[in-house]
Amino acid sequence: MQHAVGAPLPPPQGPGNGPWTHQAQHQAQQPGHPGQAGPPPPMAPGPQPHTPAPAPQHAPVPPSRETTGHIQLPPGGPVPLPAPPAEAGTGAATLAVLLIGPAGAGKTTVAKLWAGRRRVPTAHVSLDDVREWVCSGFADPQAGWNDHSEAQYRLARRTCGFAARNFLANGISCILDDAVFPDRPVVGLGGWKRHVGPGLLPVVLLPGLEVVLERNAARSGNRRLSDEEVARIHGRMAGWYGSGLPIIDNSTYDVETTARVLDDVLARSIASPPAW
């Protein structure tokens, strides 16, 4: 059978190759790769199923190393000298105070009352309390001063200094108390200055030996020292006389009077900081 040149040839006949169906004709008319099915026929008009939009993806935010829980902590830095108060006493000044004294001088009691009586936020941090945060393995100096007790003292001072800096960075004054010896400036007063800053105001609380012995006798637990140890510590504290630091002899003062005198002494220290 002859065909005109250029006319399309009919499909080959044979098993499985019958005349074109409607579907075959539709596929043959679609462009694309040979043998590839064309796109599905359009859907009938009507309500279409709703596909929710994918939720926006957010990159995970790494936790900050400067957070504690959900509270952002300001960076702790050296505490500067406070500005002189515009009223009697320390007024509303933000202070960092170090109350020094032997065992039985009343440091903790006076510091706590002074902090509680101020009309601005003020915290009290006792070195002895922080040292006793260590429960198992506590190196009690009464059992003998050694490398372990020395290390725990240093760690407690650094912890107190960190706490003081963060309190002040949040506008909260802080008073610390410690039995600092004048003949050990590196681990004593010098250590506190490194941990807190040059704005730390040291004050010495030094009553007479008889008063210290009487107050120590009223203590209990590991806070109570032997009379010999109390006398030895008190004798070493006498080296603060002539040091230039303000000294309060509270032998005849009650706690409230001592706290009031402490506030007056601190006001003078702000106006004329001691050289230390």
Side-chain angles (χ1 to χ4, degrees):
M1 181 177 183
Q2 300 295 325
H3 297 277
V5 178
L9 296 176
Q13 300 294 322
N17 290 309
W20 284 1
T21 63
H22 174 74
Q23 181 180 4
Q25 293 175 6
H26 178 75
Q27 291 176 351
Q29 295 171 0
Q30 300 301 321
H33 192 274
Q36 180 179 2
M43 298 181 63
Q48 302 297 322
H50 174 70
T51 303
Q57 300 295 322
H58 299 283
V61 180
S64 172
R65 290 180 295 177
E66 298 295 328
T67 58
T68 299
H70 299 287
I71 302 175
Q72 183 75 25
L73 289 179
V79 177
L81 286 170
E87 54 189 281
T90 58
T94 303
L95 308 176
V97 180
L98 175 63
L99 192 58
I100 303 168
K107 301 184 301 297
T108 301
T109 306
V110 171
K112 191 174 296 184
L113 180 65
W114 178 80
R117 291 289 180 86
R118 300 195 78 214
R119 59 183 180 83
V120 293
T122 305
H124 167 232
V125 179
S126 174
L127 178 75
D128 286 339
D129 290 343
V130 174
R131 283 195 310 111
E132 292 175 359
W133 287 355
V134 178
C135 298
S136 177
F138 175 68
D140 190 349
Q142 295 188 47
W145 188 263
N146 52 41
D147 292 342
H148 295 293
S149 54
E150 176 81 17
Q152 289 186 11
Y153 257 102
R154 290 176 181 268
L155 177 59
R157 286 192 177 100
R158 288 197 300 271
T159 303
C160 291
F162 174 81
R165 294 196 308 271
N166 278 294
F167 276 128
L168 270 78
N170 283 277
I172 300 176
S173 295
C174 186
I175 181 169
L176 310 110
D177 66 76
D178 183 20
V180 178
F181 295 119
D183 55 352
R184 302 195 68 191
V186 175
V187 298
L189 203 55
W192 280 115
K193 190 173 184 177
R194 289 193 307 273
H195 298 321
V196 179
L200 183 66
L201 299 174
V203 177
V204 180
L205 200 62
L206 190 55
L209 177 58
E210 296 79 9
V211 175
V212 169
L213 288 170
E214 182 180 351
R215 291 174 181 171
N216 177 72
R219 291 179 163 190
S220 60
N222 65 351
R223 297 292 181 93
R224 180 174 179 174
L225 307 178
S226 66
D227 288 350
E228 293 77 15
E229 182 69 10
V230 171
R232 186 184 67 82
I233 294 174
H234 188 274
R236 292 177 67 182
M237 289 288 174
W240 288 118
Y241 286 103
S243 66
L245 297 187
I247 298 177
I248 300 174
D249 182 351
N250 60 327
S251 299
T252 59
Y253 298 159
D254 58 14
V255 177
E256 187 167 349
T257 302
T258 306
R260 187 169 60 250
V261 172
L262 173 62
D263 198 67
D264 293 338
V265 168
L266 288 171
R268 291 195 295 271
S269 292
I270 296 172
S272 180
W276 59 289

